[in-house]
Amino acid sequence: MERVVITGIGLATPNGLGTQATWQSLLAGQSGIAPITLFDASTFPTRFAGEVKGFVPEEYIPKKKVKEMGRFAQLSVAASQMCMQDSGIELTDEDRDQCGTFIGVGLGGLEYLFQHSITLHEKGPHKVSPYFIPTVIANLAAGQVALSLDLRGASYCNTSACSSSAHSLGEAFEWIRRGRSHIMLTGGAEATITGLGIGGFCAMFALSRRNDEPQRASRPWDKGRDGFVCSEGAGSLLLESLSHAKKRGAKIYAEVVGYGASCDAYHITKPAPDGAGAQRAMKMALDDAKLAPDAIDYINAHGTSTPQGDIEETRAILKTFGDHAASKRLWVSSTKSAMGHLLGGAGGVEAAVCALALRHGAVPPTLNLDDPDPECTLDYVPFTSRERRLKHVMSNSFGFGGTNVSLVFSQFDG
């Protein structure tokens, strides 16, 4: 099978527009969480989130096309353009016929779903915009990215809640190593900071309500955690077969070596108490990578800052990695402590963080871990980034519906 490498990264996150802006902010331990400005949230129980600040769609998309896209698709197009530019690739016509776009999205265009529902109710069906459906459906992130960059390979959207983009990356990895394509643009996007999105998560009591100190609200593994912080953004990665990347002399961030996926089959929103589903995904990814548990140096955890999820992931890591984790030789951190939770876009951004960690030999910290929960006993890299040579790292993404995805990345050794 083909070896698969990461040769391009593009990020649009609450911590910065661009890969370096996001990476440097994470390493510096800066939070991207702030009061909501995208709509009037003054009557909501939660009034803060992680917005992509300073994003002007017209800087990436022709003005007449902007109205055809939901914000999630706009962010994905921007991140994908950055990714292709970063890769330095010059696509031939044959490349464009092959290059697929697998972009994961959890919910799609909630802002337009809300607006057009009101229009239908108040003014009737003849006033519903012809752009309603294209701005709402989740696969139009992949579709608009393909249109924007003239990529004509397979294009589809994995929708599996908060593991959507991790699934997409895993499937793009499979697509290349089976020889169906040499190039795939993958990752994910989400934009649910709308009245409907925040209101829905508030109704589930899923969000933190720490309105008086939003930058301290996302606190994975801390006793004072009270829910996750909703964020928006996009992460795009260019995957290539090693032979294709070498042929063009590409810069290589990291190699993708393992992909595991499972389902808890336990509850629509709660993780299984014994962490069995997460264990199966991590073990499958390790087996796929042909690595022993003690080969992993770092895990970018799902780490959402929810009371149950943090404990179940900790249990799953302890059962999978044993003494390697219990003795704190395995570093674990949650970049959601700084960025919040990008939902369907999280896995793509966090895979990019893993690739950057391997390339730079540095691990972003977990913020706000002031008083660790006694059931959360791992080395969570609190407050300050750390440096060491990393050989193999893992990214975990879990979602409503009991979905679990683990991906393993390795330092490229030629």
Side-chain angles (χ1 to χ4, degrees):
M1 291 193 289
E2 291 276 3
R3 292 173 67 185
V4 181
V5 292
I6 300 169
T7 57
I9 295 174
L11 299 176
T13 78
N15 288 62
L17 264 172
T19 301
Q20 284 306 309
T22 295
W23 178 242
Q24 292 303 324
S25 175
L26 291 175
L27 285 184
Q30 297 169 340
S31 171
I33 310 305
I36 290 172
T37 65
L38 290 172
F39 72 98
D40 179 5
S42 59
T43 62
F44 285 63
T46 296
R47 299 185 289 278
F48 58 90
E51 298 176 348
V52 180
K53 303 161 194 71
F55 177 61
V56 179
E58 290 80 2
E59 292 180 1
Y60 305 91
I61 303 160
K63 190 173 181 179
K64 65 180 181 181
K65 297 279 291 181
V66 169
K67 64 183 178 183
E68 298 178 10
M69 299 186 199
R71 186 173 169 90
F72 72 102
Q74 295 169 5
L75 290 165
S76 190
V77 168
S80 297
Q81 290 179 0
M82 294 179 210
C83 176
M84 296 302 277
Q85 184 174 12
D86 177 59
S87 75
I89 196 167
E90 294 182 9
L91 295 173
T92 64
D93 208 44
E94 183 181 354
D95 288 336
R96 293 185 187 281
D97 283 345
Q98 273 202 7
C99 185
T101 46
F102 290 180
I103 310 290
V105 175
L107 283 161
L110 284 187
E111 76 273 34
Y112 290 102
L113 182 63
F114 180 62
Q115 290 172 13
H116 290 290
S117 295
I118 293 173
T119 299
L120 176 66
H121 177 70
E122 294 182 345
K123 299 180 180 178
H126 60 289
K127 288 294 184 182
V128 174
S129 167
Y131 296 117
F132 166 53
I133 297 298
T135 54
V136 170
I137 55 177
N139 77 298
L140 257 292
Q144 292 287 9
V145 167
L147 275 168
S148 168
L149 296 168
D150 190 20
L151 306 178
R152 304 187 290 260
S155 174
Y156 65 80
C157 169
N158 286 84
T159 296
S160 54
C162 303
S163 54
S164 297
S165 51
H167 269 123
S168 288
L169 199 147
E171 294 304 310
F173 168 53
E174 295 283 9
W175 200 268
I176 292 176
R177 70 175 172 175
R178 290 178 185 175
R180 304 194 73 174
S181 174
H182 283 295
I183 319 168
M184 296 293 289
L185 184 58
T186 185
E190 201 75 271
T192 59
I193 304 176
T194 68
L196 197 59
I198 298 296
F201 286 121
C202 282
M204 297 175 69
F205 295 97
L207 299 182
S208 170
R209 300 190 179 191
R210 200 179 286 256
N211 291 299
D212 54 344
E213 44 183 7
Q215 295 192 344
R216 292 172 54 76
S218 182
R219 35 196 327 110
W221 306 298
D222 186 84
K223 282 171 68 175
R225 66 197 186 281
D226 65 335
F228 73 84
V229 174
C230 193
S231 291
E232 64 172 5
S236 295
L237 299 95
L238 189 69
L239 305 190
E240 287 184 67
S241 66
L242 178 59
S243 57
H244 193 277
K246 277 188 165 180
K247 188 176 178 181
R248 71 177 185 89
K251 165 187 65 186
I252 294 175
Y253 283 98
E255 183 170 1
V256 190
V257 295
Y259 169 39
S262 69
C263 182
D264 287 353
Y266 171 74
H267 189 272
I268 55 171
T269 58
K270 298 176 185 174
D274 58 1
Q279 289 175 59
R280 285 196 299 278
M282 288 189 277
K283 185 176 186 307
M284 186 186 299
L286 288 169
D287 290 346
D288 193 33
K290 298 180 173 55
L291 291 173
D294 62 4
I296 299 297
D297 297 309
Y298 165 65
I299 297 177
N300 188 290
H302 188 58
T304 56
S305 179
T306 58
Q308 288 179 304
D310 289 356
I311 292 174
E312 311 320 341
E313 186 174 14
T314 295
R315 288 174 180 164
I317 290 172
L318 283 167
K319 289 180 180 177
T320 305
F321 292 89
D323 186 60
H324 182 55
S327 63
K328 302 190 176 181
R329 293 193 297 272
L330 174 64
W331 292 354
V332 179
S333 76
S334 170
T335 41
K336 291 185 180 75
S337 63
M339 288 193 288
H341 191 351
L342 276 69
L343 308 176
V349 171
E350 292 163 14
V353 168
C354 285
L356 292 164
L358 284 163
R359 183 170 178 84
H360 298 292
V363 169
T366 300
L367 306 186
N368 303 319
L369 188 51
D370 299 315
D371 188 8
D373 185 315
E375 293 193 67
C376 298
T377 56
L378 304 175
D379 182 349
Y380 300 110
V381 194
F383 306 114
T384 307
S385 63
R386 294 183 192 164
E387 295 183 358
R388 78 175 180 194
R389 183 172 181 269
L390 303 167
K391 292 186 69 176
H392 309 286
V393 306
M394 175 179 282
S395 180
N396 282 342
S397 296
F398 311 137
F400 288 171
T403 63
N404 307 290
V405 177
S406 294
L407 296 160
V408 178
F409 307 93
S410 296
Q411 186 180 68
F412 176 64
D413 62 5

